[in-house]
Amino acid sequence: MKRISLLGSTGSIGTQTLDVISRYPEQFQVEALAAGQNGDLVVEQANRFRPRLVSVSSKELADTVIPRLPAGTAVVYGEQGLIEAAANNDADMVVTAIVGSQGLKPTLAAIEAGKQIGLANKETLVSGGHLVSAAALRKGVQILPVDSEHSAIFQCLNGESIKSVRKIVLTASGGSFRDRTREQLANVTVQEALAHPNWSMGAKVTIDSATMVNKGLEVIEAHWLFGLAYEQIEVLIHPESIIHSFVEYEDRSIIAQMGLPDMRVPIQYALTYPDRYVSPVQSLDLTELGKLHFRTMDFDRFPCLRMAFECGKTGGTMTTVFNAANEVAVARFLAGEITFLGIEEVIESVIGRHQPIRLPALEEIDEADSWARLAAGEIRV
């Protein structure tokens, strides 16, 4: 039986991870659950899966959930609570499904504790990829990607040498506004931006999909996961989200991973690797689809993706600043403070003012992150 600690249990990836786990009760045991502010849902989850530890965002929330948890379940809170849920328990694997840069420290703690990582928090590698990669290599810890695109690349590389890869191609749905011009984006609403055509995701990730920041973060993550140069990473718009990504080898052979857009497939593969279990997901019928469509990426239409590539090539704290500025800009858009196009204006302004540190320590990453958040909150667009 594999013991799982799940960080971000109440979010989209977290709830789907528990759905997968619930189908194989003899294979998986939930050791710890870490939630943010959704106390009611984590209580429900804890009473169903009986973890030994629950972490929530604050002491106030901890006080409200303690009387409602099953006997024997300990409660912790805050950043230290996240780290305890990640590292200070008997879990074999930690699934990091937190949204945002707060996933970095608990992921590093889990690696130091020798736990296998199921990585759904791309900001971890965006903010501290060099630290995470070095720690995983030193501790002999395997990082299994949970994002559909990186899971696809991981599967396409099975049995192959990374030296024979010519390039990898990450596919992008195009998000909520893939068929709109930039002129048509001037006055779009939050509700319109949250209406993703293919995937069911949280608000922040859905907005990131519409701006193409999400794909930019995935490009940076792929660089660290697979050890590839940015010149070997491409992005295509693929509206159907059937081909989740593909690899082209030096002999010009292309291997792609396909399936209906359902996150339970890559989640389950990370949990069961190298085995494949029966999935509740429907089979893909290509005869029903008839056609698949692809579009060349337009960096003028999606400038956030261009900025992500540029920040990735610069490296160091520049990717930390890119991510932090975006998190603040998205929050401001969701709160009605700035327009949709204002998100990219905030990001571009912040990264333009940053002097990157090439190989930052964790403290320097924290400082760059804090500086970028403050700057992004003050910019008027």
Side-chain angles (χ1 to χ4, degrees):
M1 179 174 285
K2 183 179 285 189
R3 292 165 295 187
I4 306 294
S5 175
L6 176 57
L7 310 185
S9 68
T10 58
S12 175
I13 297 297
T15 54
Q16 291 179 86
T17 299
L18 291 175
D19 179 69
V20 171
I21 288 173
S22 70
R23 297 173 189 276
Y24 293 97
E26 296 181 357
Q27 302 297 325
F28 301 109
Q29 175 183 317
V30 176
E31 184 73 17
L33 294 173
Q37 300 178 2
N38 194 337
D40 290 340
L41 182 52
V42 78
V43 165
E44 180 184 321
Q45 292 172 341
N47 279 285
R48 181 179 181 187
F49 292 95
R50 303 278 167 164
R52 296 183 182 181
L53 185 72
V54 164
S55 174
V56 292
S57 60
S58 66
K59 183 181 186 304
E60 292 73 23
L61 185 57
D63 290 339
T64 67
V65 303
I66 287 172
R68 302 157 61 196
L69 293 175
T73 297
V75 179
V76 291
Y77 59 88
E79 181 178 85
Q80 188 56 40
L82 270 178
I83 291 173
E84 288 193 41
N88 299 338
N89 54 62
D90 294 327
D92 305 300
M93 181 179 195
V94 177
V95 178
T96 63
I98 304 170
V99 175
S101 58
Q102 63 178 325
L104 176 58
K105 289 181 181 179
T107 302
L108 284 170
I111 292 172
E112 291 296 333
K115 301 183 187 301
Q116 188 182 56
I117 304 296
L119 188 66
N121 172 256
K122 55 182 67 64
E123 292 89 350
T124 288
L125 290 180
V126 171
S127 295
H130 64 294
L131 297 178
V132 174
S133 299
L137 181 64
R138 174 168 48 83
K139 299 295 292 188
V141 166
Q142 189 171 31
I143 299 177
L144 297 170
V146 171
D147 276 345
S148 59
E149 295 82 0
H150 300 98
S151 177
I153 298 297
F154 180 74
Q155 293 179 62
C156 293
L157 290 171
N158 276 345
E160 302 286 349
S161 170
I162 196 70
K163 295 179 181 178
S164 65
V165 172
R166 180 170 179 264
K167 67 179 180 180
I168 65 174
V169 179
L170 306 177
T171 55
S173 68
S176 311
F177 305 133
R178 64 192 177 200
D179 298 317
R180 299 198 192 192
T181 65
R182 289 189 61 76
E183 292 71 24
Q184 293 172 322
L185 296 177
N187 297 306
V188 296
T189 66
V190 170
Q191 289 70 28
E192 289 175 303
L194 291 175
H196 195 284
N198 297 357
W199 298 94
S200 174
M201 305 178 291
K204 194 265 182 182
V205 179
T206 303
I207 302 302
D208 284 351
S209 178
T211 61
M212 209 62 75
V213 164
N214 199 48
K215 205 55 52 178
L217 298 177
E218 289 173 8
V219 166
I220 299 168
E221 184 182 9
H223 163 76
W224 290 111
L225 276 174
F226 307 115
L228 296 172
Y230 285 98
E231 290 75 16
Q232 292 176 279
I233 305 172
E234 293 184 8
V235 177
L236 282 179
I237 291 183
H238 171 43
E240 293 87 357
S241 296
I242 296 298
I243 293 180
H244 299 301
S245 283
F246 59 90
V247 177
E248 180 179 333
Y249 290 91
E250 292 289 4
D251 63 358
R252 301 309 192 264
S253 294
I254 292 176
I255 298 179
Q257 189 266 335
M258 307 171 66
L260 292 174
D262 192 313
M263 280 303 300
R264 289 175 297 178
V265 174
I267 291 169
Q268 181 171 298
Y269 189 64
L271 292 176
T272 65
Y273 177 81
D275 299 323
R276 293 182 184 271
Y277 291 6
V278 174
S279 169
V281 179
Q282 288 184 324
S283 296
L284 170 65
D285 187 343
L286 289 173
T287 62
E288 287 187 3
L289 288 172
K291 294 181 180 180
L292 297 176
H293 301 86
F294 303 90
R295 306 178 199 167
T296 302
M297 181 52 62
D298 183 346
F299 289 99
D300 292 326
R301 169 63 180 78
F302 295 105
C304 288
L305 183 57
R306 168 186 55 78
M307 288 186 266
F309 268 102
E310 292 170 353
C311 290
K313 291 175 182 179
T314 299
T317 51
M318 191 61 87
T319 54
T320 301
V321 167
F322 173 82
N323 175 69
N326 174 67
E327 287 188 19
V328 172
V330 170
R332 292 180 66 187
F333 169 66
L334 291 171
E337 293 180 18
I338 62 174
T339 65
F340 179 76
L341 292 179
I343 296 173
E344 63 196 44
E345 295 180 46
V346 169
I347 297 171
E348 190 150 34
S349 178
V350 174
I351 63 175
R353 295 162 52 188
H354 182 58
Q355 296 297 319
I357 299 171
R358 184 171 173 271
L359 290 172
L362 186 58
E363 294 77 12
E364 292 171 313
I365 291 173
D366 281 343
E367 290 172 3
D369 184 275
S370 297
W371 173 83
R373 291 175 189 278
L374 183 62
E378 293 175 343
I379 289 170
R380 296 293 169 255
V381 295

